[in-house]
Amino acid sequence: MSFATIALMFVAGFFSGVINAIAGGGTFLTFGVLTLAGLPAVTANATSSIIQFPGYITSTLAYFKDLGAIWKSAIALGVVSLVGSLLGALFLVWMSNATFKSLVPWLLLAATAVFAAGPRLKPKNTGERHAATPFGLAVQTLTSFYGGFFGAGMGIMMLASLGLATGGDYHRLNALKNFLSILIAAVAIIVFSTAGKVSWLHAAIMVPAVALGGYAGVHAAKRAPQSVLRWIVVAAGLGLSIYYFVTG
């Protein structure tokens, strides 16, 4: 691995952490740079899940009090998230690199569209709370399947689906989303690691960069216009989609 590749990965990891802290969407950068670094599509996707994992934990800790107030719903939704993520991750491992690579541009395009629509999909802060319904559990199972399979744009999708399925205060929904993201990513990581689909060398280079970017992003969030950063992520997603359509 050349020094230029390592530097590119570190820079992409750093800005991925910044973007996740401010607006979300850092997976677009980590997945993209890992494929450009020469990793097969499945391995790049699996390694990207490892890289993003620490951010889910710190975000959940920040919302710990909100999560405690809805622990019954968290447990029910957590169980179906484990199942959905397991099925999604196993489906990815079963799929060949060639097949997954052919799906990547479509997945990126769909995730970019969801990310661009994110502000409209976010539930309103109603202050109401509802227990998880059968419909909500079914929706979360599907969302977690997608999270275990690919993951880009999962946070926005989950926030929207939780709002539609359970309702409630926005911050509690965000707490649920962060907690469920940990479970989804953890199961996917176990499956990918067991199947030998993770490049630990690439992960070791990028995890510290993502952590530094996340720390810097907290301060940048108070100053940078989120709308501008959101459209930067959308542009990156569209650019990667076009790239994979052309090369795939």
Side-chain angles (χ1 to χ4, degrees), residues 58-128:
T58 54
S59 298
T60 299
L61 291 175
Y63 274 115
F64 187 75
K65 291 184 179 180
D66 296 279
L67 190 62
I70 49 173
W71 63 271
K72 290 183 179 180
S73 294
I75 291 176
L77 290 164
V79 171
V80 298
S81 294
L82 291 172
V83 174
S85 178
L86 177 62
L87 294 175
L90 289 174
F91 187 58
L92 176 67
V93 169
W94 169 80
M95 187 174 290
S96 68
N97 272 297
T99 303
F100 181 70
K101 187 176 181 180
S102 69
L103 291 176
V104 163
W106 297 102
L107 291 169
L108 284 172
L109 197 60
T112 302
V114 170
F115 186 82
R120 296 183 180 182
L121 294 176
K122 287 182 179 179
K124 294 182 178 180
N125 196 340
T126 62
E128 300 174 357

